[in-house]
Amino acid sequence: MSRIFLLRHGRALLPDEKRRFIGRTDLPLSPEGVEEALAAGRTMEETPFDRLYSSDLGRARQTAEAVARFVGVPVRLEPCLREIDLGSWEGMEMASVKREQPEAYEARGRDFEGFRPPGGESFGDLANRTLPFLGDLASFPGSVLVVGHSGVFRVFLASVLGISVRQAFLLRQDTGAMHLLSGGTGGLSVERLNWKPSL
């Protein structure tokens, strides 16, 4: 049986507190994010992981490297786990996009899974890029830790739970928090959602 732990990276170092579209933008961890990564590592120190995979974006890689110090498993970087590419919307304030590109913003609301920002990916594209990797993990008979991003994990949860990605956005996915999946090639189930160690 596979046990797949999905750990969202720690809080990223953002330019300000405004709501922005942040996907493929490669940000480092904030000081708080470093503490979240270390807390996750300490919590999992006694968990016998067989493999540790991570997105190669900085905020995920830093989180994985911090956790690896505690669990003693080398980090395997997987570019397919990168967060969704938001194209020309990357880094823009959500309010600015809504104001300056109202038709595109409304189109995204109407077709959340199929809409692509200019030069970017849709959530359908993200699913096509990442779900084969989840299928590979389901066939691995052991415990695997995956460090990644909110959008990627919501796609995973939508697939496992049989819901839409839009519905998966109703599930909490805090920085430094984990989901746990278990099962095998016959199907995965969700054992735990958004569990976070206390700092």
Side-chain angles (χ1 to χ4, degrees):
M1 184 180 78
S2 298
R3 299 185 80 219
I4 304 168
F5 295 77
L6 306 176
L7 172 64
R8 187 182 177 194
H9 60 78
R11 183 176 174 84
L13 185 62
L14 300 170
D16 51 42
E17 294 301 316
K18 295 179 180 178
R19 294 186 67 202
R20 295 178 180 274
F21 286 103
I22 302 293
R24 192 66 63 85
T25 303
D26 201 0
L27 299 171
L29 291 179
S30 66
E32 178 187 352
V34 171
E35 288 303 314
E36 288 176 325
L38 293 172
R42 285 190 290 269
T43 298
M44 293 184 285
E45 190 169 11
E46 302 302 320
T47 304
F49 288 108
D50 298 291
R51 293 183 183 176
L52 168 53
Y53 293 99
S54 175
S55 159
D56 61 352
L57 293 181
R59 56 195 186 272
R61 188 182 68 250
Q62 281 183 266
T63 301
E65 290 170 351
V67 170
R69 291 163 43 191
F70 293 91
V71 301
V73 180
V75 179
R76 303 181 186 207
L77 297 179
E78 282 291 339
C80 76
L81 291 171
R82 290 174 185 167
E83 183 61 292
I84 190 169
D85 186 347
L86 295 170
S88 64
W89 287 11
E90 285 282 352
M92 291 186 67
E93 292 179 40
M94 293 183 180
S96 295
V97 173
K98 184 177 182 179
R99 182 177 61 251
E100 297 168 12
Q101 303 178 43
E103 291 182 4
Y105 190 87
E106 290 175 10
R108 181 177 185 263
R110 289 192 302 271
D111 184 13
F112 193 74
E113 295 175 333
F115 176 81
R116 294 184 182 93
E121 293 178 300
S122 68
F123 277 99
D125 296 329
L126 181 62
N128 290 336
R129 169 161 63 82
T130 60
L131 286 179
F133 182 77
L134 181 61
D136 290 342
L137 294 181
S139 67
F140 179 75
S143 293
V144 178
L145 175 60
V146 180
V147 181
H149 307 275
S150 173
V152 174
F153 292 164
R154 290 184 197 282
V155 164
F156 286 0
L157 292 172
S159 176
V160 171
L161 294 171
I163 61 177
S164 68
V165 174
R166 181 188 288 276
Q167 289 173 306
F169 267 80
L170 298 175
L171 304 173
R172 289 196 61 168
Q173 173 63 92
D174 298 328
T175 55
M178 286 178 281
H179 308 304
L180 174 57
L181 312 179
S182 64
T185 53
L188 293 168
S189 60
V190 177
E191 284 193 25
R192 201 162 193 176
L193 282 173
N194 201 49
W195 179 74
K196 187 171 186 176
S198 56
L199 296 177

